[in-house]
Amino acid sequence: MKVRRWPATGVVFAVIWVFVTGPALAPVPLLRAAVAGLAVGLPVAYVFRRLYAPTVDLARVAGATPALARYVLTFVRQIIVANLDVAYRVLAPGMRLEPQVVFVPLRVETALGVTTIANSITITPGTVTLDHDPEENGLYVHTIDGRDIDALVDPIREWEDYALAIFDEDADPADPTPAVRVHPSDYPPEPKTIPEPGVGEAPGVGGGADSGAETGGDGDGG
């Protein structure tokens, strides 16, 4: 069953508002917070309704809910583990560190799916998403200790398996995962972007530079 997206988005905003405000666990405070969230969330969702698809498939959302719950649980677990690891490294300053950059190709292709995984990596202590390569659809991930690459990549792959279901991706969790690549700690040197179609170097710019170099060379020789 499909429904209009902006009212559903407004309800989601109201739920988030309830969690953010943290009312007392009693019917009246909870209802008051929910009404306040709807009063703010519905108008905001309506104003920005053109930014997303007009309808949402409730059946698909319900089907993705278990994957979303598992994503949240594994993410929280990884946050706890990473916090303990970083705290131990702070308390043991002599512990060896080997910063490393790892390129992790993704099976998730939608912008929202890639952004979710990239932000999950950055929020997790000890790792930061440096860049997204749109040509290869992969993330450059910096870790404070790159001696165990599997320990870095395994949680990302687990999140990705759930994200494939949450965002209705074309790939399947059973599909083979692309191989990762290890780079020096200062890689990539510059952000990588896809050039806009039809936009390139102005005609004659390269030739003019070469001509100038050649002319300068003749002058020096004379």
Side-chain angles (χ1 to χ4, degrees):
M1 181 180 67
K2 292 186 176 182
V3 299
R4 295 180 65 86
R5 183 178 288 269
W6 73 263
T9 304
V11 172
V12 172
F13 287 163
V15 173
I16 295 174
W17 178 264
V18 171
F19 279 98
V20 170
T21 55
L25 297 179
V28 174
L30 287 173
L31 180 61
R32 185 182 297 116
V35 171
L38 288 173
V40 176
L42 287 175
V44 170
Y46 179 79
V47 170
F48 293 100
R49 67 190 183 281
R50 298 184 183 276
L51 298 180
Y52 37 78
T55 60
V56 59
D57 190 343
L58 291 182
R60 198 198 72 78
V61 172
T65 300
L68 177 61
R70 289 194 291 269
Y71 189 107
V72 173
L73 290 175
T74 56
F75 175 68
V76 171
R77 182 192 65 196
Q78 187 61 25
I79 287 286
I80 295 173
V81 171
N83 272 288
L84 293 175
D85 178 71
V86 172
Y88 177 75
R89 294 174 188 276
V90 172
L91 296 175
M95 187 174 182
R96 183 180 176 188
L97 298 178
E98 290 188 7
Q100 193 66 261
V101 174
V102 180
F103 180 73
V104 184
L106 298 176
R107 293 164 294 165
V108 171
E109 297 180 348
T110 61
L112 186 56
V114 172
T115 301
T116 299
I117 294 178
N119 287 340
S120 299
I121 294 170
T122 298
I123 294 173
T124 304
T127 55
V128 176
T129 301
L130 298 177
D131 192 20
H132 173 247
D133 188 331
E135 296 177 353
E136 298 188 58
N137 187 35
L139 299 174
Y140 289 97
V141 181
H142 182 277
T143 177
I144 60 175
D145 193 346
R147 289 175 292 176
D148 188 355
I149 300 301
D150 290 339
L152 167 69
V153 177
D154 288 348
I156 298 175
R157 292 304 186 203
E158 190 173 4
W159 296 337
E160 188 181 30
D161 287 343
Y162 300 139
L164 291 172
I166 295 171
F167 301 107
D168 196 23
E169 300 278 348
D170 294 332
D172 188 85
D175 294 341
T177 56
V180 302
R181 298 198 305 265
V182 179
H183 296 283
S185 58
D186 59 349
Y187 195 91
E190 295 180 359
K192 301 181 70 174
T193 57
I194 294 180
E196 297 182 8
V199 177
E201 188 176 4
V205 172
D210 292 339
S211 300
E214 294 174 0
T215 302
D218 292 343
D220 294 340

